[in-house]
Amino acid sequence: MKIGKQYHLGAVEIHVNSSGWYSHHHEGNPDYNEVVLHVVLYHNGQREIKRQDGRIVPELELAPLLSKEPSTSETEAKNHLKKLSELPGRCGIAALERGTETLKKILGHAAEQRIQEKTEVLLKRWDEQDPEELLFQLLFKSLGYSPYAQVFEELAKQYQFRELRPLFRQSQRTTRTLVLSRWFGACGLFSKKMTIADPTVRHEFQQWKAAWQELPEHPQVSGKISQAHRPQNSPERRLLGMFHHLYRIANDGLLKRWLVVF
């Protein structure tokens, strides 16, 4: 693309607001070092858009450029979206042109390459520690996805699987209190202002908080968990999901159950 008199080759990142760049933690993620333009509907921040490598990214605000004419009715908009949804899209067009078998080969190759990359990470760290603890840490890292990957991996090192495993021999509710009180407390989630509508969930959350306060030690992860995230991607939701997974497989162990999967 051409910005002013200079040509740029790279990616374009799109957000509703310019603050989305920082709320999604792109400034610390090297995966976004290829971004050459930040496109937003509204410019609502004072900070420049800066990549992880320190380069400033120019920003384009669309709101001032939009037509002043009245928008179409809701019915017309829905009909228009329905027509668009029926189109195959760029990837769909490529698939139609190349055929189903070619598409399967492309996806299969991509999946195999992804598995090889993950395997290389495992091999490099295999001799560092117990394999089951390594798997536990990598699962937590993946669970945290890019914004919380390091925080979650540190949490797995803080409360290792072999230390948590005996806790899973009790009832699910008791175990949930014992485990989630540690995870939430170490991540600083009890200090967040949370609105929990369900009275049952709210009561149990208070039990976790009380259990954390009663522990003799209160270790903390070094990273901070931001409050800017999609509700379905909240760290609380992800930790709760991991708990239920561990509760199902803890007796057999991580390695045994995951080796069965693969």
Side-chain angles (χ1 to χ4, degrees):
M1 71 182 69
K2 187 177 182 181
I3 303 177
K5 296 182 179 181
Q6 189 173 1
Y7 286 92
H8 298 263
L9 178 63
V12 176
E13 181 69 10
I14 301 175
H15 289 109
V16 175
N17 300 305
S18 54
S19 57
W21 179 270
Y22 289 100
S23 64
H24 294 166
H25 308 285
H26 297 336
E27 78 282 4
N29 190 339
D31 292 341
Y32 290 83
N33 283 345
E34 299 298 321
V35 174
V36 296
L37 180 65
H38 190 221
V39 178
V40 299
L41 184 59
Y42 303 110
H43 176 75
N44 70 333
Q46 301 300 320
R47 289 191 289 179
E48 293 180 307
I49 303 302
K50 184 179 291 187
R51 303 189 316 198
Q52 184 268 343
D53 60 7
R55 182 173 177 179
I56 302 299
V57 179
E59 185 173 79
L60 172 63
E61 184 183 20
L62 297 179
L65 307 176
L66 297 178
S67 172
K68 301 296 183 181
E69 297 179 3
S71 60
T72 58
S73 67
E74 183 179 356
T75 302
E76 290 176 339
K78 287 183 177 179
N79 290 334
H80 184 59
L81 287 173
K82 185 177 180 180
K83 291 180 180 179
L84 291 177
S85 67
E86 295 172 355
L87 297 176
R90 187 169 64 179
C91 293
I93 292 173
L96 290 173
E97 291 176 347
R98 291 170 173 78
T100 305
E101 291 303 316
T102 301
L103 181 61
K104 287 181 179 179
K105 291 179 181 179
I106 293 173
L107 293 176
H109 175 73
E112 184 177 353
Q113 185 176 11
R114 181 73 169 169
I115 291 173
Q116 288 177 349
E117 291 173 356
K118 296 292 185 181
T119 303
E120 289 175 2
V121 174
L122 276 170
L123 289 175
K124 289 179 181 178
R125 298 177 56 182
W126 190 259
D127 295 328
E128 294 179 6
Q129 57 189 305
D130 177 69
E132 191 161 52
E133 291 297 339
L134 175 60
L135 176 59
F136 184 60
Q137 292 168 19
L138 293 177
L139 284 175
F140 256 79
K141 184 176 182 179
S142 298
L143 183 73
Y145 67 117
S146 55
Y148 312 126
Q150 299 304 320
V151 174
F152 275 28
E153 185 177 14
E154 185 181 347
L155 181 64
K157 293 178 180 178
Q158 184 68 57
Y159 290 109
Q160 298 183 2
F161 181 65
R162 61 173 172 267
E163 298 173 1
L164 295 175
R165 195 171 179 180
L167 302 179
F168 285 89
R169 296 169 185 161
Q170 304 180 61
S171 69
Q172 187 180 82
R173 187 179 182 88
T174 300
T175 303
R176 192 161 59 231
T177 298
L178 294 172
V179 174
L180 291 178
S181 62
R182 288 164 168 79
W183 288 350
F184 278 42
C187 289
L189 295 176
F190 290 130
S191 60
K192 290 176 60 178
K193 293 182 179 179
M194 300 178 63
T195 302
I196 304 175
D198 190 316
T200 304
V201 177
R202 185 167 60 246
H203 176 69
E204 190 170 2
F205 182 82
Q206 292 302 322
Q207 287 183 326
W208 302 345
K209 186 175 182 179
W212 166 253
Q213 293 170 343
E214 292 173 1
L215 291 174
E217 297 181 353
H218 300 93
Q220 297 285 313
V221 294
S222 57
K224 292 184 178 180
I225 291 184
S226 167
Q227 296 188 30
H229 49 69
R230 297 180 180 88
Q232 299 301 317
N233 267 345
S234 70
E236 297 90 348
R237 184 182 179 89
R238 287 172 173 267
L239 289 174
L240 186 59
M242 174 58 89
F243 164 78
H244 285 290
H245 174 64
L246 291 178
Y247 191 81
R248 292 182 61 185
I249 59 92
N251 288 335
D252 293 333
L254 276 175
L255 278 179
K256 182 177 180 180
R257 291 299 294 267
W258 276 74
L259 286 174
V260 169
V261 172
F262 292 103

